Amino acid sequence: MLQDLTMVMNKRHTRIAVSALFFLTGLCFASWASRIPDIQQTLGLNDAGLGGVLLALPVGSIISLPLAGVLVSKFGSRQVLIIAAVAYGAVLPVLGLAQTSWELSIFLVFFGFCGNLANIAVNTQAVAVEAMYGRSVMASFHGLWSVAGFTGAAIGTAMVGLHLAPVYHFLLITAIAWTIILLTMNRIVPHVSNENGNQPLFGKPDMFLLTLGIIALCSMICEGTMFDWSGVYFRRALHVRDGLSGAGYAAFMSTMASGRFVADRLTTRFGVKKMLLLSGILTATGLMVAVIFPYFLTAMFGFMLVGAGVSAVVPLVYSAAGRSTVLSPGMALATVSTIGYLGFLFGPPLIGFVAQATSLGVSFSMIAVMGAAIAVMSSRIKL
């Protein structure tokens, strides 16, 4: 009895530790995002100049993707996560010290590199925790990342109100991040099954992993559209006043974050396949509601459906990839992330090109097809 209680407590402590590290990664990213306008003003960047600088972050993320799988497979997710998380927190204040756009771009490459390296490692840890529980818990980890986003934005707003320079704000976040690392480093999973095993460092993904990657790609295109274009859609298609232009994004984020905290329970009850099918249907339906009925309340409802739809897709796909029999968890996650991350890169620009040639309504309808594709592909994959 005492041994069983000890195992339960250890399992719970491990889950809390991994949850805290998910929160850490979300807090660091949101803290940077909350001070972008101030840094833009400090460096005297116009919108085009800022857009060019911001491309440096995904460049760093893409560079890290193939290396992340190799490092996690060779050295283990625990070691990689601790080093990457420490570096992620260390680079953050450096962003506030940048004096030119070139300096900021270089620092953002490192920031993106460390952030995505931590992302792959912490998701590998989450796969191990899920195996301990024998049921779906991945979505709740991603839910904490979303909560960290809200927290980081709130802290950023407070720091702006206090007229605190970004570098001092970021130093505070670094201190919080490093404290989290110190408190959790001995609680996370020391060795994930299949790490440092017999799988090759560079393996060929099977059709299962490729399909998961495409599902992630479609979902991330929809997410990227909401992140970058929801405010524009409300302003230009719905003609709302400036103070309400962010309402659609808030509606999307509210259901995306909350959806991740109920997704695990629903997945355990209905299964991964049905959840992905429902996610695709909700995403496509939400986007089409916003397009067909371009009014404030209906668009809000539509964007809430999109948030609920995409909330579980990436966590479920990562969880399935971590159970790959072809590649180690780290390599499998890196493979799926590499494919999926292309959605964040190319989705929002594609929206702009299509909207310029036609209209925002047409471009959002095109993204709705991506949601429908999630449902179609999930119905054919063996999960």
Side-chain angles (χ1 to χ4, degrees):
M1 180 68 71
L2 182 59
Q3 185 179 5
D4 291 341
L5 180 60
T6 301
M7 289 179 63
V8 170
M9 291 301 295
N10 288 339
K11 185 169 64 174
R12 183 175 298 173
H13 289 157
T14 301
R15 183 175 180 178
I16 292 172
V18 175
S19 298
L21 289 165
F22 265 91
F23 186 88
L24 179 157
T25 57
L27 182 65
C28 286
F29 180 81
S31 299
W32 147 249
S34 71
R35 302 307 297 265
I36 289 176
D38 299 286
I39 292 175
Q40 178 186 15
Q41 183 177 8
T42 299
L43 299 183
L45 298 172
N46 58 28
D47 290 342
L50 178 63
V53 167
L54 293 180
L55 281 175
L57 195 148
V59 167
S61 298
I62 289 178
I63 292 173
S64 76
L65 281 169
L67 291 174
V70 174
L71 293 173
V72 169
S73 297
K74 187 172 183 178
F75 300 106
S77 57
R78 180 181 182 275
Q79 289 84 344
V80 173
L81 176 54
I82 292 171
I83 294 172
V86 169
Y88 198 32
V91 177
L92 183 59
V94 179
L95 300 176
L97 294 174
Q99 298 297 313
T100 67
S101 60
W102 283 108
E103 288 180 1
L104 182 58
S105 297
I106 293 170
F107 298 154
L108 279 175
V109 169
F110 283 103
F111 190 64
F113 182 94
C114 296
N116 207 59
L117 192 60
N119 175 57
I120 298 298
V122 78
N123 274 284
T124 304
Q125 284 278 314
V127 169
V129 174
E130 198 167 58
M132 291 179 183
Y133 277 81
R135 58 181 174 84
S136 177
V137 296
M138 179 69 80
S140 64
F141 288 128
H142 286 255
L144 281 169
W145 194 96
S146 298
V147 170
F150 286 117
T151 304
I155 293 174
T157 300
M159 295 298 103
V160 171
L162 294 172
H163 304 289
L164 197 67
V167 63
Y168 299 115
H169 169 198
F170 294 160
L171 282 170
L172 172 64
I173 300 301
T174 298
I176 294 173
W178 286 356
T179 301
I180 291 173
I181 295 167
L182 287 172
L183 293 174
T184 59
M185 61 187 298
N186 292 323
R187 293 288 187 179
I188 58 179
V189 185
H191 177 73
V192 176
S193 176
N194 292 331
E195 284 184 353
N196 309 311
N198 297 322
Q199 291 91 341
L201 290 181
F202 296 96
K204 182 179 180 180
D206 58 2
M207 185 55 65
F208 174 72
L209 285 177
L210 291 175
T211 304
L212 289 177
I214 295 172
I215 292 174
L217 169 72
C218 294
S219 179
M220 289 185 181
I221 287 176
C222 297
E223 285 186 44
T225 298
M226 291 292 101
F227 290 149
D228 292 357
W229 287 95
S230 58
V232 177
Y233 187 81
F234 264 58
R235 191 165 59 249
R236 295 184 182 174
L238 308 186
H239 306 292
V240 301
R241 62 178 185 270
D242 290 342
L244 293 176
S245 60
Y249 177 76
F252 164 77
M253 282 299 296
S254 65
T255 52
M256 181 179 178
S258 58
R260 286 177 166 172
F261 288 106
V262 300
D264 288 324
R265 185 176 300 176
L266 294 175
T267 301
T268 301
R269 182 172 180 178
F270 299 109
V272 175
K273 197 168 184 175
K274 288 183 179 179
M275 280 296 293
L276 286 174
L277 179 63
L278 177 62
S279 296
I281 292 172
L282 286 175
T283 302
T285 301
L287 284 164
M288 290 311 301
V289 165
V291 170
I292 296 172
F293 305 101
Y295 309 104
F296 181 79
L297 291 179
T298 50
M300 286 280 287
F301 176 69
F303 282 17
M304 290 176 71
L305 290 181
V306 177
V310 302
S311 64
V313 176
V314 170
L316 291 177
V317 165
Y318 280 8
S319 176
R323 298 191 297 271
S324 170
T325 58
V326 177
L327 299 177
S328 66
M331 283 301 300
L333 284 166
T335 299
V336 171
S337 294
T338 301
I339 299 171
Y341 204 82
L342 295 175
F344 274 137
L345 284 181
F346 297 114
L350 181 62
I351 284 285
F353 292 135
V354 174
Q356 184 67 32
T358 55
S359 68
L360 273 174
V362 172
S363 59
F364 270 61
S365 299
M366 179 187 67
I367 300 303
V369 175
M370 299 293 103
I374 295 172
V376 172
M377 286 186 292
S378 64
S379 66
R380 297 180 179 179
I381 195 171
K382 293 182 179 180
L383 289 168

